[in-house]
Amino acid sequence: MHSLILEIRAGEGGDDAKLLVEEQLAIYGKFAKRRGFALELLAQGPGHVSLRVRGEGCRQAFAAEAGGHRWQRVPPTERKGRVHSSTVTVAVLGEPTATEVRLDPADLVFERYRASGPGGQHRNTTDSAVRVTHRPTGVSASAET
C-alpha cells in the first residue's frame, strides 16, 4: 500500500494564513475520503499540520498539490470587507520504506586529517576532519571489467 506525508504550513498573511491551514486540511480531508484514502494526523499546531495519507494511488493524487498556494478572499475575521492575500505551503513527501543495511566493520576505512600550518597548541593535536570510506571486501579488480 502506498503512503505519503502531507504537510501544510501557513505562509504570508498572518492570522488568515493560519485559518487557511485549517481550511486546506478540510479540503484535503474531503478529497481523501472521496478517493478512499485513510488519513492519520501526525502533528498539529498554530499554522501547521502534518498527516499521513495511505491508499492506492495517493502519491499521484496529491503530487500536483506540492508548493505554494495563494488565496485571495475576504476572510471571516475581516469586518470592513477588504480582500486579503494569504499563502500556505504544501509539502508532499513520499514515505520511505524500511531498508536494512548491514556493513562489515572490516569494509570501512577511517582517515583522519589535521590542520596544517601555524596555530595554537591545540590545533595540531585535534583531528579536524574524518573521512569514512566503504570498500567492500571480496571484490576483485578483475570482476569490475
Side-chain angles (χ1 to χ4, degrees), residues 23-135:
E23 292 184 28
Q24 195 89 19
L25 175 61
I27 290 168
Y28 288 151
K30 290 177 185 177
F31 176 73
K33 187 176 180 180
R34 268 191 272 146
R35 290 286 192 100
F37 302 144
L39 292 179
E40 176 188 348
L41 187 64
L42 300 175
Q44 188 170 15
H48 76 276
V49 65
S50 297
L51 43 113
R52 178 178 289 123
V53 182
R54 293 177 193 241
E56 198 67 36
C58 67
R59 290 184 183 186
Q60 294 83 7
F62 282 96
E65 294 300 315
H69 295 253
R70 180 174 175 251
W71 292 54
Q72 262 191 309
R73 66 180 190 156
V74 178
T77 56
E78 174 59 52
R79 296 183 183 179
K80 296 182 180 178
R82 294 177 290 196
V83 175
H84 289 235
S85 290
S86 301
T87 60
V88 295
T89 57
V90 177
V92 179
L93 310 166
E95 192 169 26
T97 56
T99 304
E100 186 174 322
V101 177
R102 294 176 194 237
L103 294 177
D104 184 5
D107 293 346
L108 301 177
V109 177
F110 292 88
E111 299 172 279
R112 292 166 180 83
Y113 300 94
R114 293 187 176 160
S116 62
Q121 293 175 345
H122 185 66
R123 181 172 182 168
N124 293 326
T125 61
T126 304
D127 293 333
S128 58
V130 178
R131 177 187 300 158
V132 180
T133 307
H134 178 248
R135 294 196 177 130

